[in-house]
Amino acid sequence: MDFGIKENIVAIVTTDKNMISTTTVPVFYANSEEQKEKTALLVSKITMGMVHDLENGSYVIVKH
Amino acid sequence: MEKFSMQIILALFMGLLARIYMIRIDQRQYPSYPQGLISHLTLGVIASSLGAVALPALIQKEYGAVTFLALAAQQFRDVRNMERQSLDNIEGTELVPRGTAYIEEIAKAFEARNYMVIITSLTTSIFFYLGKKINLHLYGQIVLGALTGMIMAAVLKKVLKRQLIMEIAEVKPAKIHFKGPLLMVNDVVIMNIGLKASRKIYEEVGIAVEIIPHDANGRETLASIGQRQAIAHNTAVQLGIRKDVDEPDFTPMLRRNPNNGHIVFSLIPMEPNIDLLVEAVKRTPVLETAKRKPLESKKGKSENNQLKGEL
C-alpha cells in the first residue's frame, strides 16, 4: 500500500491570459490551440499525469 | 507400517492426481510456469501425504501423530498468505492491476485446492481400508479406493467451480463516442480526455462493451469495484493493451450506469476484435468476495424485485 497525495492538479495549460498563476499550481500559457495541445502532452509525459479538458480554454493535468 | 504401505501409496497418488487435475495453466499465466507450478505440485504432495497417513495413524492408535497432522494442516493457511504476498508484490509492476479482491480470490482458491487434495487422499485411504475390512481382494481394494477418490475429486471440483460473468449477465458490444472531452460508452461517461490525439485513437481503435446483469443479484455483484477491476485485468491480459505507464488516457475503466446498474467498459487493445473482447469479459470469473444476493434477503426482496423490473 502506498500513501501520498493522489488526484491532485499538477499543472494548468491555458490560452486564457487572464488566468493568474498561483504558487500551488504552475500555469503554462499557450498562444494557440496547437501549442496548448503540445505543451499539455509534454507536461503530462513528464509528470505521468492525465490531461483533462475544462472546455474554457484550459487543460488541467491531474495525477491519478 | 508394512501393512499400510499400499494404502498410503495409493492415497498419496490419488491426492497428487487431484492436485494435477485442479491445476490449470491458461492464457492468464497463473500459476506461473515453471517455478510456480513446481511449488504448487510439491505442496500438493505434502497435502496428499497428510491425508494419506491420517487413517493409518489413527488405526495404529498413534494419537500423537494425529495432533501433529493437525499442526501440519495449519501450515496450509500459509499457502494463502504466500500467494497473497507474492501477488501483492508484483501488483505494482502490472500495467492493469489485478486489484486486491482478485488477489484475495486467487489466494483463497489455492488454499482450498490443498484442502481438496487432503480430502481426496483421505477418502481414498478410508475406502481402501473399508475394502480390506469387507475382505476384498487387494486389487478390489485398490479399485474401490481409486474410484471413490476420483469421484470425490470430481465432486469437489464441481463444488469449487466459480461462476462466470456470462452466468450473471449479458455482454453486448457498445458504441464509443465523445461529448466534448468526455468519453462516453452508450451514454455513460467514462472519463474526461483532454488530448485530441488520444481521442482520435479511441475513435479509431477503441472497442467497448456493455454488461447487462440478468437480475438484481447480478447487478449488485457487478457493482463491486474489485469485480470490475478483475474484468479489466483479465481482458487486458488476454487481448493485449495499447498503453504504457505514461499514458493514463488509455487505462481501461469500467463505469456503472447509476440509473440501472449496467456496466460499460472501453478498452484500447492490441487486437481490436470486438468478439474477442465480448468472449474475454464473458469468461471472467465472478469473485466470491464480490458476490451479493439481495434477492435472497427477506426484507429487501420486494423492493429489489421492483428494481429488477427496471432492468
Side-chain angles (χ1 to χ4, degrees), chain B residues 252-270:
Chain B
M253 272 206 253
L254 285 88
R255 286 284 179 264
R256 188 169 191 237
N257 184 344
N259 297 322
N260 53 15
H262 293 191
I263 304 287
V264 293
F265 173 37
S266 68
L267 180 76
I268 312 271
M270 280 299 189

Side-chain angles (χ1 to χ4, degrees), chain A residues 20-48:
Chain A
I20 298 156
S21 178
T22 62
T23 48
T24 46
V25 182
V27 177
F28 297 88
Y29 295 107
N31 291 323
S32 63
E33 276 291 313
E34 289 80 58
Q35 204 192 341
K36 183 175 81 174
E37 194 70 27
K38 197 167 178 209
T39 313
L41 176 71
L42 292 174
V43 177
S44 77
K45 288 284 176 203
I46 296 162
T47 58
M48 300 229 179

Side-chain angles (χ1 to χ4, degrees), chain B residues 207 239 269 271-278:
Chain B
I207 49 177
L239 273 76
E271 198 166 340
N273 182 335
I274 186 71
D275 296 329
L276 279 181
L277 179 66
V278 169

Side-chain angles (χ1 to χ4, degrees), chain B residues 174-198:
Chain B
K175 202 171 113 282
I176 290 181
H177 63 106
F178 279 93
K179 193 161 146 192
L182 295 176
L183 168 66
M184 319 267 284
V185 174
N186 284 5
D187 297 321
V188 180
V189 179
I190 304 266
M191 59 179 149
N192 181 320
I193 292 175
L195 291 174
K196 292 195 177 72
S198 302

